[in-house]
Amino acid sequence: IGFLRWTEIWDLPKEVNWCVPGVISFGRSHLWYGASGMGKSLVVQEIAACAAAGKSILGFPPLEPMKVLYLDNENTPLGDVIPRLEDMGFQKDELGNLAYLSFPQIPSLNLKEGGEIFTQLLEKFQPKLVILDTFSRFVDGDENQAITVQEFYKQCGIVMKRMKIAYIRIDHMGKDEEKKVRG
């Protein structure tokens, strides 16, 4: 039920465990948003591929290759994903740790059934980093309502936190850019 045993955890290291120093940390949620066409997916695809291949990310020293799960409801494999990865200099044999699900047919991740299937995906692929591109396409309901994101967290987000998985939700700004990100 989440009971903390102070004598067991008090003296454990308290530093942040970084996936990308100062940018993405394990066991935490990250939101990348911006106007359509700004290159959000492009940057995050490069981060995902570099993490999977054990290459330098954003100029930081490379880490050990890690398993990455990328769920993509935005970009087409042949029109977007592969040409971008090739332009970044990746070869197909470098991407064995990158599990890329293109337009996966899974229930909405803010619903119990979607959370259960998502948890099965996490157990199958054992990722250290998960990307949801574009977040609003993985949930049902009004994306401008906090309840939509709260239910996603209840079904999926908390599972990733417990498993110490870093995750990135990519999304677009709302129509009113003054209000910033949707929801």
Side-chain angles (χ1 to χ4, degrees), residues 173 175-180:
M173 290 173 40
K175 292 185 189 327
D176 183 354
E177 292 187 18
E178 295 291 319
K179 293 183 180 177
K180 305 289 183 213

Side-chain angles (χ1 to χ4, degrees), residues 14-158:
K14 293 167 190 73
E15 69 272 355
V16 176
N17 190 5
W18 293 104
C19 177
V20 178
V23 181
I24 302 167
S25 60
F26 293 110
R28 303 233 174 124
S29 170
H30 306 83
L31 174 63
W32 290 44
Y33 76 95
S36 186
M38 292 193 68
K40 300 175 297 295
S41 295
L42 178 68
V43 171
V44 176
Q45 286 167 343
E46 184 168 9
I47 289 170
C50 286
K55 292 186 173 187
S56 171
I57 303 172
L58 303 175
F60 291 102
L63 300 174
E64 289 293 317
M66 69 184 76
K67 292 182 180 182
V68 178
L69 176 60
Y70 200 117
L71 288 85
D72 194 342
N73 264 341
E74 181 79 16
N75 305 283
T76 62
L78 298 177
D80 299 312
V81 180
I82 293 173
R84 288 175 180 172
L85 292 171
E86 287 176 334
D87 286 348
M88 293 173 200
F90 286 97
Q91 303 293 318
K92 61 185 171 191
D93 60 342
E94 295 178 287
L95 301 174
N97 285 324
L98 177 57
Y100 206 104
L101 281 61
S102 179
F103 300 100
Q105 294 185 6
I106 56 176
S108 296
L109 299 182
N110 59 325
L111 304 176
K112 184 176 181 183
E113 183 183 10
E116 289 170 353
I117 291 173
F118 185 75
T119 299
Q120 291 172 6
L121 290 172
L122 296 177
E123 290 168 355
K124 176 182 173 67
F125 293 108
Q126 298 290 307
K128 293 291 186 187
L129 174 62
V130 171
I131 293 100
L132 298 168
D133 187 0
T134 294
F135 178 71
S136 61
R137 294 185 177 152
F138 284 100
V139 294
D140 272 346
D142 186 344
E143 60 195 275
N144 287 312
Q145 296 297 316
I147 190 68
T148 304
V149 178
Q150 289 170 350
E151 285 300 314
F152 162 79
Y153 180 78
K154 182 176 159 184
Q155 300 301 328
C156 301
I158 199 163

